[in-house]
Amino acid sequence: MAGAGLTIQKPITVFIAALLTLLILMSYQVADKITGRTVLGNVIFTLLTPIQSGTASTVNGVWNTCVRYFDLVNTNQKNQQLTQEVDELKIRLQASMRERDENQRLREILNLREKLPLKLVAGEVIGGTAKAPLSRIISINRGAKDGADVQMPVVTPSGVVGMIIDVSPVSSKVQLMSDVSSSIGAMLSRNSTAGILSGTGTELCLLKYLPLNADIKVGDAVVTSGQDGIFPEGFPIGKVTKLVKEELYVSAEVTPYQSSAALKEIVVLLQSKNQNPGRAQ
Amino acid sequence: MNLLKLLIAVAVIFVLQTMVINRYPYFHLMDLFLLLNIYCALNFNQMVCMGISIPTGLIQDVFSSKGIIGINAFSKTIIVFFISGLSSRLMLKHPLVILLLIAISTNLDYLIILGLHKLFGLDTFPLSGRTLLTASIINSVIGTISYQMTDRIRTKKEYA
């Protein structure tokens, strides 16, 4: 009888102990909100990402073989390589054009000639989020060894993707700008009206806190404002698809140029905190 | 041997969840880790289920949340504990019962996660009824079919 009582109580005890332990674990992490990084998360992430990277290579290999077979063309690999190169060149071109414009402005106004160039590193997406739609996070195959660090912007030639929130030696976790806890300084390309672009957990984003008298129309292009100190100014984000009038301000629904579903190759903008000209410290 | 099978299952689910189903609309709402846990809850005792739900939940946390680890482990542990407890007392292996069980579990999983987000003051995702319904339907249908197939293979092997 006593034995039977013990077998019934044992799982309950373990259950309660497990829940308490998990609650303590979660509370500990919430308390560490200043840095936004957790030791446990980093350790598990570091241990598992090489496995994920390896399996991603295998899965992608099989996937690519199937694609090539069905296309009956052996140019897929070449095409991918060229696409990656073109993407990288487009980003470089974009960066150098912005650099040139900025240099010109500085020369005219302040007579300054120097500006630090942006360093880039191209990479691939190796995994998506494990709990959609509650979070929108991807893993990429570039980590600390490649120069990646937290808060570094991740972009594609089409537009902004998000920023790095966790780094292991060989891979990183990227929070997409559509993640519900993401906020980016953004502005309208047409008249530089600035606001804050927040994620909604869906493919769409919301450009908030625009003045009620702001000149904004559906179809307006939205670019980064550089005010967040993370994303350089002028990177394309998306276009306004809907206006929502609040009591004190106007919000605009923004459809990003870069769909998260179609993400494959990305580029990390390697810039240290000191190098970023727009960084608000 | 069972542990090896389980590890393989977790690895396959991990690959499918993070690298394959994200490519397709609607299917990204599927929670394969939850389905694995429910399968275990219907076939194993509570201790074993908790031994599975905690590590799988933690893996899911590491690859889904920004900062907090343990939310999915917490919700999955509660779900499997009750399902496993129920399945040891009641017959729950009828397809319709499994369908209903997965639908309830999916909703419960989201609600526990949202509750924990609110409890810890984290950003919460505005969960719509449509999303919940879609996730419930997809999880229930795929989960029930997968359960029936896996169970049939397992039974055949046991009798062979």
Side-chain angles (χ1 to χ4, degrees), chain A residues 29-264:
Chain A
Q29 295 168 79
V30 173
D32 188 25
K33 218 172 179 178
I34 307 156
T35 56
R37 299 179 75 176
T38 62
V39 178
L40 186 70
N42 279 343
V43 170
I44 302 173
F45 187 63
T46 307
L47 288 174
L48 286 177
T49 42
I51 301 167
Q52 193 192 23
S53 189
T55 43
S57 306
T58 316
V59 169
N60 286 336
V62 174
W63 186 269
N64 288 338
T65 311
C66 292
V67 169
R68 270 178 236 139
Y69 176 76
F70 286 115
D71 286 346
L72 292 169
V73 189
N74 201 21
T75 54
N76 194 35
Q77 201 175 4
K78 189 77 182 166
N79 187 30
Q80 271 186 344
Q81 193 188 338
L82 288 171
T83 310
Q84 196 173 337
E85 276 175 27
V86 169
D87 287 353
E88 201 175 319
L89 287 171
K90 275 184 185 173
I91 293 284
R92 282 189 188 281
L93 183 68
Q94 210 171 16
S96 59
M97 278 169 70
R98 193 176 55 255
E99 196 181 323
R100 191 194 59 191
D101 291 348
E102 191 163 351
N103 267 337
Q104 204 173 342
R105 249 192 349 263
L106 289 172
R107 233 180 282 127
E108 285 170 2
I109 301 165
L110 300 167
N111 203 19
L112 288 175
R113 284 169 181 266
E114 284 181 31
K115 186 196 170 286
L116 290 168
L118 289 173
K119 286 181 186 171
L120 320 167
V121 62
E124 276 184 27
V125 176
I126 57 169
T129 186
K131 186 72 185 175
L134 295 176
S135 74
R136 297 181 78 81
I137 284 163
I138 55 166
S139 305
I140 58 170
N141 65 347
R142 290 287 174 260
K145 278 185 180 173
D146 307 292
D149 199 358
V150 284
Q151 294 199 336
M152 278 185 174
V154 178
V155 298
T156 69
S158 309
V160 173
V161 173
M163 75 168 174
I164 294 176
I165 53 166
D166 254 327
V167 181
S168 80
V170 291
S171 59
S172 305
K173 222 182 329 180
V174 178
Q175 180 188 42
L176 300 180
M177 64 174 173
S178 53
D179 187 278
V180 75
S181 55
S182 157
S183 290
I184 293 174
M187 63 181 183
L188 298 176
S189 173
R190 190 163 52 87
N191 53 19
S192 299
T193 307
I196 293 171
L197 189 89
S198 301
T200 60
T202 65
E203 278 290 318
L204 300 171
C205 297
L206 214 56
L207 184 60
K208 293 178 185 170
Y209 311 121
L210 297 166
L212 282 169
N213 58 354
D215 176 19
I216 176 167
K217 288 185 293 193
V218 170
D220 274 349
V222 179
V223 296
T224 52
S225 66
Q227 286 173 355
D228 51 25
I230 294 168
F231 290 89
E233 187 185 331
F235 263 93
I237 291 177
K239 63 177 178 183
V240 175
T241 47
K242 194 179 164 187
L243 297 173
V244 185
K245 210 163 189 179
E246 312 278 349
E247 201 177 329
L248 299 170
Y249 57 86
V250 179
S251 294
E253 200 176 84
V254 177
T255 305
Y257 292 129
Q258 179 59 58
S259 158
S260 63
L263 266 179
K264 206 171 177 189

Side-chain angles (χ1 to χ4, degrees), chain B residues 21-49:
Chain B
I21 64 169
N22 281 312
R23 294 171 199 243
Y24 305 101
Y26 298 111
F27 282 94
H28 71 280
L29 293 172
M30 251 171 77
D31 191 340
L32 296 175
F33 287 100
L34 179 69
L35 299 182
L36 172 77
N37 277 296
I38 294 172
Y39 178 84
C40 294
L42 289 169
N43 288 289
F44 305 113
N45 66 46
Q46 288 172 315
M47 295 295 281
V48 174
C49 292

